[in-house]
Each structure stands twice: as C-alpha cells, then as structure tokens.
Amino acid sequence: MIDVEKSASARLPIMRVWLERGERFAASVSRVLLRVDAWLARRLSAFEGAQARRAARRELYALDDRLLNDIGLRREQIPEFVDGMFRGNSETVRRPSAILAKAAAAAEVDAGTARPYRSAA
C-alpha cells in the first residue's frame, strides 16, 4: 500500500502539467472553432444575399414593360435598382417595399381577371 501512495504522489505534478496543457489546448481549439464558425456564417450570409439578389432580379425581369413603367423602372435600371435595394442606397431606390408591393398587387389583379390591364396612373 505504501508503494502505491509513493508512485501516485510522484505522478501528481506530471498530471497537473498535462492538465494545464490540455486546458490550453482546449482553449486554443475553442478559439479556432469560433473563428471558423464566424467565417462560415459570413460565407453563408454572402451566399444567401447573392441568392436573394438573383431572385429579386429574376422577379423584376419577369414583369412586363407596362408594370415596370407603372413602378417607375426601365429594364436597364433593374440591376442598379436591385443592388441599391440590397445596399440600402436611398438615392437609387425610392421606397423599394412600396414599389414592389404595388407591382405585385398590379400583377395579381392583371392575372386574376380576364379583363385587359389598366394602369392605375
């Protein structure tokens, strides 16, 4: 029994060093994982933003020229409009949600009835 106590007390300082090294290693791994997580979140956000821009452009290009004219856009202005909308550039975009809501409402009225389209302006 005495031999076991001697060997355990002899290994105790070595175990403390290993525990300290393990804690430092765990802290380093944790910092690296947090950085990787932040990087992945930025990449995912950029991907989602690009996807949303493509969808907005696709929807605006799908509108006919009369609807685009009603909301105050020409086809060649669509890329600049969408980019400004996602940047929040107030000079490029005038109330984008109201403009797009007006276009969506006009498209629903036009598609829902058999009557010819009439401009609200």
Side-chain angles (χ1 to χ4, degrees), residues 77-92:
Q77 293 175 321
I78 290 175
E80 181 184 344
F81 177 80
V82 171
D83 289 341
M85 187 172 66
F86 279 89
R87 269 188 265 121
N89 189 350
S90 59
E91 296 171 7
T92 306

Side-chain angles (χ1 to χ4, degrees), residues 70 102 117-121:
D70 281 350
K102 182 178 175 183
Y117 173 79
R118 290 188 194 148
S119 174

Side-chain angles (χ1 to χ4, degrees), residues 30-53:
S30 176
R31 282 192 302 271
V32 168
L33 289 177
L34 286 174
R35 289 180 185 154
V36 168
D37 182 50
W39 180 83
L40 285 173
R42 286 192 308 270
R43 294 295 119 219
L44 182 61
S45 177
F47 176 74
E48 288 173 346
Q51 208 171 18
R53 284 177 191 227

Side-chain angles (χ1 to χ4, degrees), residues 32 40 59 67 71 112:
V32 168
L40 285 173
E59 288 181 24
L67 284 174
I71 61 175

